[in-house]
């Protein structure tokens, strides 16, 4: 136990026969349950786990590959059934240093947060050892996820080193969360809809000699589609259905006016291209709705940032 809470480590594993034993052997003693989810690995991942004599280990093997998100969902459900109070995600490739686990757990067991996530971008030295293309990709994706999820106080969304309270997980429709590499992004959107207070914890990344199996040509379109749909789903539930907010009105009017302004501006450009002189009134006809629409969108953005659930609301376990 840790500060009165039973801790479960959920370990999604795919082709991790070389590293899975290290993950288990380095797991801190305060972790009560270790749920290994072998996501239909073609190697000997499950066989290696079965050879390890640790009573805390529960091994689950998928007969069909479900992706990292599917493995995490399976692990969460199993951990809740075992009686865990807090679930932590630990990668099967040993890239998540267990020495930093207390920093995450403190936030959800003592400080009142429902969800805590590692962040590798708090200091310049956090970039050391991280491939440059990953740095750039994470920065761009972080800003997109901020807008889609509404957690403007969080960064580095693809970092799967997380801790979450079981009482939060029980409210999340886990079967509706994305099963693939977009799991972390979609999970944040679901948490924001439920207004779960979340916080970042500065933790340096550890990179081993592992080769990523992610195909960017497939993952990027999937992420863009998910973030777009997730944004509108969040707006609908938080600012329209459950409590009609000025944010929804400002966003709707801003989009309408901006669209009208852009459309008129395009029409004016075509007129000028055909040697038609644009009058001041014509220019203002395009500029006015565009300026008003932009101002309304900025106001909606400002209110959305202020509404980000970042203040702790949960009682400590002890």
């Amino acid at each position: 136990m840790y500060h009165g809470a039973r801790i479960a480590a959920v370990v999604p594993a795919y082709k991790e026969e070389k590293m899975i034993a290290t993950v288990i052997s380095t797991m801190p003693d305060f972790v009560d349950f270790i749920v290994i989810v072998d996501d239909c690995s073609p190697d000997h991942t499950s066989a290696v786990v079965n050879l390890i004599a640790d009573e805390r280990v529960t091994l689950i093997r998928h007969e069909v590959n479900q992706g990292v998100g599917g493995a995490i969902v399976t692990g969460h459900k199993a951990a809740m059934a075992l009686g865990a109070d807090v679930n932590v995600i630990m990668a099967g490739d040993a890239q998540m240093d267990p020495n930093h686990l207390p920093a995450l757990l403190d936030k959800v067991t003592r400080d009142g947060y429902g969800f805590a996530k590692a962040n590798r971008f708090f200091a310049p030295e956090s970039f050391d050892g991280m491939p440059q293309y990953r740095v750039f990709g994470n920065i761009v994706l972080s800003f997109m996820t901020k807008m889609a999820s509404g957690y403007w106080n969080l960064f580095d969304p693809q970092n799967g080193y997380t801790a979450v309270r079981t009482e939060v997980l029980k409210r999340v429709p886990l079967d509706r969360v994305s099963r693939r590499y977009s799991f972390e992004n979609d999970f944040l959107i679901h948490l924001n809809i439920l207004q779960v207070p979340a916080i970042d914890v500065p933790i340096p990344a550890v990179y081993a000699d592992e080769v990523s199996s992610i195909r960017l040509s497939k993952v990027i379109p999937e992420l863009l589609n998910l973030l777009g749909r997730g944004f509108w789903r969040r707006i609908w539930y938080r600012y329209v259905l459950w409590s009609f907010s000025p944010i929804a009105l400002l966003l709707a009017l801003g989009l309408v006016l901006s669209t009208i302004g852009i459309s008129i501006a395009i029409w004016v450009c075509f007129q000028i291209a055909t040697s038609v002189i644009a009058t001041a009134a014509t220019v203002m006809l395009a500029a006015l709705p565009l300026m008003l629409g932009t101002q309304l969108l900025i106001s909606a953005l400002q209110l959305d940032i202020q509404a980000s659930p970042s203040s702790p609301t949960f009682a400590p376990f002890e």
Side-chain angles (χ1 to χ4, degrees):
M1 299 185 76
Y2 188 87
H3 293 315
R6 289 166 295 184
I7 309 300
V10 175
V11 184
Y14 180 71
K15 295 195 294 186
E16 299 295 354
E17 63 178 6
K18 295 180 180 180
M19 303 302 300
I20 195 65
T22 300
V23 174
I24 297 173
S25 64
T26 58
M27 198 70 69
D29 293 336
F30 57 74
V31 173
D32 301 277
F33 312 105
I34 304 174
V35 181
I36 310 291
V37 183
D38 181 351
D39 196 24
C40 194
S41 298
D43 62 0
H44 299 94
T45 297
S46 290
V48 173
V49 174
N50 284 324
L51 293 175
I52 299 174
D54 191 324
E55 295 181 351
R56 300 176 297 171
V57 174
T58 297
L59 173 63
I60 302 173
R61 176 175 169 80
H62 284 165
E63 295 304 320
V64 178
N65 182 274
Q66 297 184 26
V68 63
I72 292 174
V73 168
T74 296
H76 277 321
K77 291 180 178 179
M80 287 190 288
L82 290 170
D85 297 309
V86 176
N87 288 1
V88 179
I89 305 300
M90 300 286 286
D93 56 8
Q95 289 189 10
M96 296 175 179
D97 190 345
N99 291 324
H100 299 294
L101 190 52
L104 281 173
L105 292 176
D106 284 343
K107 297 299 182 182
V108 297
T109 59
R110 295 193 310 179
D111 296 346
Y113 291 93
F115 178 78
K117 182 186 66 61
N119 187 339
R120 298 164 287 184
F121 296 90
F122 260 82
E125 56 268 21
S126 300
F127 295 96
D128 294 344
M130 183 180 296
Q132 292 300 311
Y133 74 94
R134 289 195 181 187
V135 174
F136 176 78
N138 272 276
I139 291 175
V140 173
L141 185 58
S142 289
F143 281 110
M144 295 176 61
T145 304
K146 282 174 179 285
M147 179 169 290
S149 70
Y151 279 115
W152 294 93
N153 58 314
L154 302 184
F155 207 74
D156 191 17
Q158 297 310 110
N159 195 327
Y161 200 177
T162 63
V164 60
R165 285 180 173 237
T166 293
E167 57 189 299
V168 170
L169 285 173
K170 290 179 179 179
R171 298 173 57 201
V172 176
L174 291 174
D175 291 331
R176 298 182 182 180
V177 183
S178 175
R179 288 292 195 266
R180 297 293 172 178
Y181 291 103
S182 53
F183 172 84
E184 287 87 359
N185 312 81
D186 198 23
F187 191 67
L188 284 175
I189 294 172
H190 280 85
L191 290 180
N192 188 280
I193 290 174
L194 297 174
Q195 300 187 52
V196 175
I199 190 172
D200 266 344
V201 178
I203 294 177
V206 178
Y207 285 95
D209 298 327
E210 300 291 323
V211 178
S212 175
S213 60
I214 299 177
R215 290 186 296 174
L216 294 179
S217 60
K218 179 180 180 180
V219 172
I220 291 177
E222 175 185 333
L223 280 172
L224 293 176
N225 180 51
L226 180 140
L227 292 175
R229 290 185 294 106
F231 171 79
W232 290 111
R233 185 172 73 249
R234 178 176 70 87
I235 295 298
W236 169 252
Y237 281 109
R238 281 206 61 184
Y239 301 135
V240 179
L241 184 62
W242 291 345
S243 177
F244 190 76
S245 167
I247 296 176
L249 183 61
L250 291 171
L251 179 61
L253 291 177
L255 288 174
V256 170
L257 289 174
S258 296
T259 301
I260 293 174
I262 292 174
S263 300
I264 296 176
I266 293 175
W267 174 76
V268 170
C269 289
F270 275 112
Q271 293 296 311
I272 295 175
T274 57
S275 300
V276 176
I277 299 176
T279 64
T282 303
V283 173
M284 285 301 299
L285 186 63
L288 186 58
L290 186 57
M291 289 188 294
L292 290 175
T294 301
Q295 183 60 48
L296 291 175
L297 290 177
I298 293 174
S299 298
L301 176 63
Q302 182 179 12
L303 291 176
D304 189 40
I305 292 175
Q306 294 175 355
S308 181
S310 56
S311 299
T313 58
F314 291 93
F317 283 95
E318 65 174 14

